[in-house]
Structures are given as structure tokens and as C-alpha cells.
């Protein structure tokens, strides 16, 4: 079946006539459909539609824009199960996680909807008499949104819904690994009554993405994906003075101290490392164990990780779904080889699963390496798969130093009952997010989300902070004195009285 781009309220093929196929990673015989492999011409059409629509959309009062987003949220609620099933079929995560992905978008829609009645600005006293100072949040204009595949509805919703409630229009280039979810979301926005041109979807790969980034009428790029691609996008945006927010890779540490609640820590590591098959930007990919508990903890961890059921996410009993595509499967295999060559000890997994039900999908066994040192590539580089690296340390100070010995800084976690250790970790871990006695995954829609160092460029999605991305401040001075008053920047002393 052929699916289109969504431009100016109409579904249409790529002007180039090119297509790409979307297949189920758990069973590649299952073709979900063909989607447009768009070029710069398609991006041009979408940006023109978004630019024209901006003139009207920005003038619709924010509470009314919020009402439309509330309707989006209600439709997501109605279609949650259908969307979750489509998501699992398209990108593999187990159904329970796919439902969570949709739920995150529901929460984000309702949050954005209510923000239509806030979008607070500031008022402050003026330094002059008979003068009023105000500030307003203004929309930025046409926003280009580019996303990864691993949260096909949640992550786009983090950007699209706030962008829209702020009065921007949107051109979204979703991942080529999750185009079907993108079109289902577009259908919902259309059904909710978002006017034609306000929200557009252009499918394709780096070619369409880069055309969007380079388009001079696109005023802002909000990107989620790898650090390599994000850096490239940032360079182009820098040349063009374009606003740019980046959510990129991670190599997230989880520390277990000797006084930790061990059962909780074990459960946390299993979920953090192997949930979504390790394909989360916040996945627990580095486990830092205190030497006093390392041996016993590892023994139990290996036992439990070997009991995880790998399979098709549509089966409710599956814990770990497939890898997204063949390229990523090969990449994971390569990293296993690198780990072995570097001298790490493979204690679990390390291989593809190919027999029986696995024969037609991209499956990889949950994998654990021990004896990993900070100089090893498997410690430093994002693998984006079910591969956990374990490093042993002798103190809290060493644990924090090892955790911080990374290019990335997205999420982090520590398991301890010692409040002093917990607060030291909060203070000293170089990460945008720190969990205490919970794994590195599990963002909530109303809290800031993002990372430091190579993970981000200073912005935060989620919560109230996302509105700083999708608005520009307008400062307003109203002088009702009826005479020329000079501000302090132009005069030495305050002029007196009314
Ligand atoms: P990716 O960087 O390969 O692709 C992301 C998106 O960018 C896709 O839509 C892709 O088509 C597009 N793209 C690729 N090259 C481009 C270019 N030159 N110009 C413009 N667009 C381009 O990432 P992926 O493999 O889809 O996703 C995995 C990565 O995403 C991991 O690194 C993961 O950590 C990261 N991620 C980060 C977060 C976060 O919030 N920090 C969330 C999810 C995923």
C-alpha cells in the first residue's frame, strides 16, 4: 500500500516519484507500505504551505489553539490501542511500551492544551514614572522538526504540540524507520481540526532532512537523533543564524553502591538496559558497580537477563523486541567484536538470534560485558542496542568520576540508601537527568528533558522549558507620561515624578 506526504491538508506522493519500503523488524516479510522518498522540492511545497498558514494560525488566540490540541489528546486516547499495535509492528518495541509511548503523547497534548491559557510573560516595574514594561512570548514561525524512530509518537509530540500551541506552523520529517506512525499522528491532527498547512509531514531520509534544515524560510530546527547528525545540523543552523534545539545520543551510567536496595537495583538495571532493546537515548548502557557487591550482583543480573524473553513485541509475553534494522544489527555485532578485541569479558549473549521464530527478524541476545575500562570503545561509544558494559569501582568518588568520563551527559542513576551519597551524585553527575533508586529511563511529560555535553545544546524539551524553544520574547514599553522620557541608559539620574 502506498502512503503519502501530508502537505497543506492533502495526502500526496513525492514530486520525485521515488518511494521507500517500511517493514516490520520482527518479521521482514511483513511490508507495512511504501512511503515517499522526498526531495527538496517536496520540502519546498511543505514549507510554502506552512509559511502561508502561519499568517492566520499565529493570530488564533492561544486558548483556541489549545482547545484543538485537547481534541488531539482525546483522539489519541480513543485510538491508543490501534496506535500502539501499529507502532509495535513498525518498530518492534513490546506492546506495553508502545502503549506508554502513546500515553506520553496524550499527556503532552493535554499539557500543551492547558498551556494555551498560560504562556505567561513577565511584567516588571519601569525605572521611569508613568511607564509600563511587559514581555510576551511570540511564535518563531515555520518550525522544521526532525526525529528518530525509537519513540515514534512520544518524541515528535514533545516538539509538535508545544510548537503548535505557541502559534508556530510545522514541517515534520519523521524517521524513515517509523513513517507509518507519523501518518497516523498526522491523521489525528487533521481530524482534530488543525487547519491545512499548519502541520505538514514530509517523509524521506537525510536528503529531505537536510533540505528542511537549509530552507531559508524555516526559522527553527528541533532535532532528535544521533550526535553526528545533530552536529551537522547545528553547523548549518549556525551559518544561517537559525534557532536550533538538539536532543542527541547518550551513554548513561547507573551506579550501585554497597548499601543499595539490591532487589530494586537489579530490576532497575534489567529495565534500563534491556527495555526497548536498549534502543533508548536514556538506556542504561554503563553499569558501575562497587567492588564489595560486584560479584553477587553480577551473578544475579546474568541469571535474570538470561531469563528475558526476546521476541515479537506483539506477543504480550515478550520482554525484549527486535533491533530496528539490518544496519543497526550489524553495528551491534561489530561492537561486540570490538569489546572482545579490547579485552572486555563477554558474560552473556553477544550474538544474533536466528532460529525458529527469529528467522525473519532482526533479533539480538541481551548482552553483558564485564571488566570494561573507561578507555574501551564499548564504554565510550553509543551502541544503541541490548549491550550493557560493567565497570567495577572502589568508592563513590571513583564511581562518579567514571560516570562522568564520557562525551555524553543525558541521564544517570544511583542506587543507594545513603542520603549523603545521593545528594553528592545529584550535585556531581554531569547529566541533564539524575535518578535516585530508579533506572536511567522513565521521563515524565511535565519535567524538563535533555542533556549536557555532546547530548544537547542547552535546550530542554518537556514541561515548562520547551516553551523557551518554541517562542521568542517580545519586550514592550508603554510610556503614558506624554513627554519624552529618557531611560537610565541615556541619562545619569532618574527623572522625577509624574
Ligand atoms: P539519526 O541521527 O540517524 O536520524 C535522526 C533523524 O535525522 C532521521 O529522521 C533522519 O532521517 C534524519 N537525518 C539523518 N541525516 C540527516 C541530515 N544530514 N540532515 C537532516 N536530517 C538528517 O538517528 P536514529 O538512528 O534515527 O536514532 C537514534 C539516535 O537518536 C541515537 O543516537 C539516540 O540516542 C538518539 N535519540 C535521542 C533522544 C534524545 O532525546 N536525546 C531521543 C531518542 C533518540
Amino acid at each position: 500500500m502506498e502512503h503519502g506526504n501530508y502537505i497543506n491538508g492533502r495526502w500526496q506522493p513525492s514530486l520525485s516519484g521515488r518511494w521507500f519500503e517500511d517493514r516490520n523488524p520482527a518479521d521482514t516479510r511483513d511490508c507495512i507500505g511504501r512511503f515517499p522518498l522526498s526531495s527538496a522540492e517536496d520540502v519546498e511545497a511543505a514549507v510554502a504551505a506552512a509559511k502561508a498558514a502561519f499568517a492566520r494560525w499565529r493570530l488564533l488566540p492561544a486558548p483556541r489553539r489549545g482547545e484543538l490540541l485537547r481534541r488531539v489528546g482525546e483522539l489519541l486516547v480513543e485510538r491508543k490501542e490501534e496506535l500502539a499495535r501499529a507502532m509495535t509492528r513498525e518498530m518492534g518495541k513490546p506492546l506495553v511500551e508502545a502503549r506508554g509511548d502513546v500515553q506520553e503523547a496524550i499527556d503532552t497534548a493535554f499539557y500543551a492544551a492547558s498551556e494555551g491559557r498560560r504562556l505567561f510573560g513577565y511584567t516588571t516595574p519601569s525605572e521611569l514614572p508613568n511607564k509600563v514594561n511587559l514581555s510576551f512570548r511570540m511564535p518563531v514561525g515555520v518550525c522544521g522538526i526532525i526525529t528518530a524512530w525509537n519513540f515514534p509518537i512520544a518524541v515528535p509530540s514533545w516538539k509538535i504540540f508545544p510548537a503548535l500551541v505557541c502559534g508556530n506552523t510545522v514541517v515534520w520529517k519523521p524517521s524513515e524507520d517509523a513513517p507509518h506512525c507519523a501518518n497516523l499522528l498526522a491523521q489525528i491532527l487533521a481530524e482534530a481540526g488543525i487547519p491545512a498547512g499548519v502541520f505538514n509531514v514530509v517523509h524521506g531520509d537525510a536528503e529531505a532532512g537536510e533540505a528542511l534544515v537549509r530552507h531559508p524560510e524555516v526559522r527553527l530546527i528541533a532535532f532528535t537523533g544521533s550526535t553526528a547528525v545533530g552536529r551537522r545540523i547545528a553547523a548549518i543552523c549556525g551559518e544561517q543564524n537559525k534557532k536550533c534545539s538538539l536532543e542527541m545520543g547518550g551513554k548513561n551510567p547507573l551506579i550501585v553502591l554497597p548499601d543499595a536496595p539490591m532487589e530494586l537495583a537489579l530490576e532497575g538495571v534489567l529495565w534500563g538496559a534491556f527495555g526497548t532493546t536498549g534502543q533508548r537515548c536514556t538506556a542504561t548502557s554503563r553499569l558501575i558497580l562497587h567492588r564489595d557487591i560486584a560479584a553477587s550482583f553480577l551473578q544475579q543480573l546474568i541469571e535474570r537477563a538470561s531469563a528475558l524473553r526476546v521476541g515479537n513485541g506483539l506477543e504480550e509475553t515478550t520482554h525484549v523486541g527486535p533491533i530496528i534494522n539490518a544496519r543497526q544489527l550489524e553495528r551491534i555485532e561489530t561492537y561486540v567484536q570490538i569489546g572482545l578485541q579490547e579485552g572486555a569479558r563477554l558474560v552473556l549473549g553477544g550474538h544474533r538470534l536466528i532460529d525458529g521464530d527469529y528467522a525473519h527478524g532482526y533479533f539480538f541476545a541481551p548482552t553483558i560485558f564485564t571488566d570494561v575500562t573507561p578507555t574501551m570503545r564499548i564504554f565510550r561509544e553509543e551502541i544503541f542496542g541490548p549491550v550493557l558494559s560493567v565497570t567495577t569501582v572502589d568508592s563513590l568518588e571513583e564511581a562518579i568520576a567514571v560516570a562522568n568520563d564520557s562525551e555524553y551527559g543525558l541521564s544517570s542513576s544511583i542506587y543507594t540508601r545513603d542520603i549523603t551519597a545521593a545528594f553528592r551524585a545529584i550535585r556531581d553527575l554531569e547529566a541533564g537527568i539524575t535518578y535516585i533508586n530508579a533506572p536511567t529511563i522513565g521521563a515524565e511529560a511535565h519535567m524538563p528533558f535533555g542533556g549536557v555535553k555532546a547530548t544537547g545544546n542547552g535546550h530542554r524539551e518537556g514541561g515548562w522549558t520547551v516553551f523557551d524553544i518554541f517562542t521568542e520574547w517580545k519586550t514592550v514599553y508603554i510610556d503614558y507620561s506624554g513627554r519624552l522620557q529618557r531611560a537610565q541608559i541615556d541619562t545619569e539620574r532618574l527623572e522625577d515624578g509624574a
Side-chain angles (χ1 to χ4, degrees):
M1 187 182 168
E2 283 173 2
H3 300 262
N5 287 332
Y6 182 67
I7 298 176
N8 211 12
R10 284 190 300 276
W11 296 97
Q12 46 195 273
S14 164
L15 295 167
S16 67
R18 296 179 302 163
W19 299 91
F20 66 94
E21 274 187 355
D22 181 26
R23 287 184 180 272
N24 179 343
D27 183 348
T28 56
R29 294 167 301 180
D30 175 22
C31 180
I32 292 153
R34 294 207 305 165
F35 290 80
L37 188 59
S38 307
S39 62
E41 282 178 293
D42 302 294
V43 170
E44 180 64 46
V47 173
K51 192 184 172 208
F54 179 63
R56 295 182 306 280
W57 181 248
R58 75 185 186 91
L59 298 180
L60 190 69
R64 300 263 306 276
R65 297 193 296 255
E67 282 163 23
L68 292 173
L69 284 162
R70 185 174 312 283
R71 184 70 196 128
V72 169
E74 287 163 359
L75 290 170
L76 285 167
V77 170
E78 280 171 29
R79 293 176 64 177
K80 182 173 175 180
E81 188 61 20
E82 172 207 340
L83 288 166
R85 287 184 175 274
M87 187 182 300
T88 298
R89 181 181 172 209
E90 180 169 52
M91 52 69 71
K93 71 169 78 169
L95 260 182
V96 60
E97 293 185 36
R99 291 182 189 121
D101 193 306
V102 181
Q103 184 58 45
E104 181 80 3
I106 293 167
D107 297 339
T108 303
F110 291 148
Y111 190 99
S114 56
E115 195 61 26
R117 290 193 178 271
R118 283 188 293 265
L119 286 179
F120 295 134
Y122 298 90
T123 59
T124 72
S126 166
E127 62 191 35
L128 293 171
N130 299 318
K131 191 179 170 201
V132 172
N133 295 353
L134 314 167
S135 60
F136 297 96
R137 287 189 182 276
M138 308 297 279
V140 182
V142 177
C143 296
I145 287 175
I146 301 175
T147 49
W149 54 270
N150 62 337
F151 281 88
I153 292 188
V155 164
S157 81
W158 286 358
K159 301 175 196 292
I160 294 165
F161 300 168
L164 292 179
V165 80
C166 289
N168 304 287
T169 55
V170 166
V171 177
W172 176 27
K173 209 299 284 170
S175 167
E176 53 272 50
D177 283 310
H180 188 217
C181 283
N183 278 11
L184 293 173
L185 187 58
Q187 279 172 17
I188 285 177
L189 268 78
E191 196 183 328
I194 303 287
V198 168
F199 171 74
N200 307 272
V201 181
V202 179
H203 291 287
D205 57 15
E207 183 183 336
E210 199 152 324
L212 188 59
V213 175
R214 289 191 183 280
H215 198 296
E217 297 289 355
V218 174
R219 297 266 180 266
L220 176 157
I221 293 291
F223 168 81
T224 293
S226 61
T227 295
V229 173
R231 282 198 173 121
R232 187 179 166 83
I233 288 175
I236 299 168
C237 290
E239 280 166 20
Q240 298 190 0
N241 281 334
K242 194 170 280 187
K243 204 169 178 186
C244 168
S245 102
L246 305 170
E247 296 288 353
M248 301 175 284
K251 191 75 186 175
N252 311 289
L254 185 154
I255 299 168
V256 185
L257 296 184
D259 69 340
M262 289 302 159
E263 181 58 32
L264 203 63
L266 275 166
E267 267 181 64
V269 175
L270 278 179
W271 175 226
F274 303 116
T276 325
T277 322
Q279 303 171 109
R280 285 196 187 203
C281 51
T282 50
T284 304
S285 46
R286 294 184 292 146
L287 174 60
I288 301 171
L289 291 180
H290 194 285
R291 198 172 304 279
D292 291 354
I293 47 96
S296 66
F297 192 89
L298 263 172
Q299 188 202 338
Q300 292 179 69
L301 180 67
I302 293 167
E303 226 166 78
R304 296 201 192 186
S306 23
L308 290 172
R309 277 185 301 274
V310 181
N312 189 327
L314 286 171
E315 284 153 28
E316 299 273 3
T317 51
T318 292
H319 297 122
V320 179
I323 305 299
I324 186 66
N325 57 36
R327 188 169 26 89
Q328 189 54 27
L329 189 64
E330 278 162 26
R331 189 179 141 92
I332 295 167
E333 268 188 325
T334 305
Y335 271 108
V336 169
Q337 290 315 310
I338 291 170
L340 290 169
Q341 283 158 17
E342 287 178 319
R345 201 154 67 86
L346 181 64
V347 293
L348 185 72
H351 55 84
R352 291 183 191 208
L353 300 169
I354 47 177
D355 298 331
D357 289 347
Y358 299 129
H360 299 286
Y362 306 125
F363 293 97
F364 203 87
T367 296
I368 301 178
F369 275 107
T370 62
D371 300 359
V372 177
T373 60
T375 54
M376 293 181 185
R377 285 181 63 191
I378 58 166
F379 178 96
R380 311 202 72 80
E381 297 174 20
E382 186 182 46
I383 299 173
F384 222 56
V387 181
L388 178 67
S389 296
V390 186
T391 305
T392 307
V393 295
D394 290 297
S395 64
L396 170 65
E397 288 67 30
E398 193 190 350
I400 290 175
V402 165
N404 288 344
D405 189 358
S406 171
E407 180 193 7
Y408 297 106
L410 182 51
S411 188
S412 57
S413 152
I414 185 164
Y415 281 78
T416 178
R417 287 194 176 97
D418 176 353
I419 192 149
T420 309
F423 271 97
R424 281 200 187 163
I426 292 168
R427 186 191 62 194
D428 295 339
L429 284 170
E430 295 168 2
I433 306 165
T434 295
Y435 290 90
I436 308 297
N437 294 332
T440 55
I441 63 179
E444 298 185 24
H446 59 297
M447 289 293 283
F449 181 90
V452 300
K453 304 205 271 190
T455 297
N457 67 337
H459 296 280
R460 291 291 182 274
E461 294 184 337
W464 58 96
T465 44
V466 71
F467 300 101
D468 291 333
I469 299 177
F470 289 104
T471 56
E472 294 275 11
W473 284 108
K474 165 73 64 85
T475 302
V476 179
Y477 299 105
I478 303 170
D479 189 324
Y480 58 97
S481 69
R483 59 196 172 98
L484 174 64
Q485 298 199 90
R486 292 188 188 167
Q488 285 204 58
I489 192 171
D490 296 316
T491 179
E492 268 180 36
R493 62 182 174 78
L494 279 176
E495 295 184 24
D496 55 349

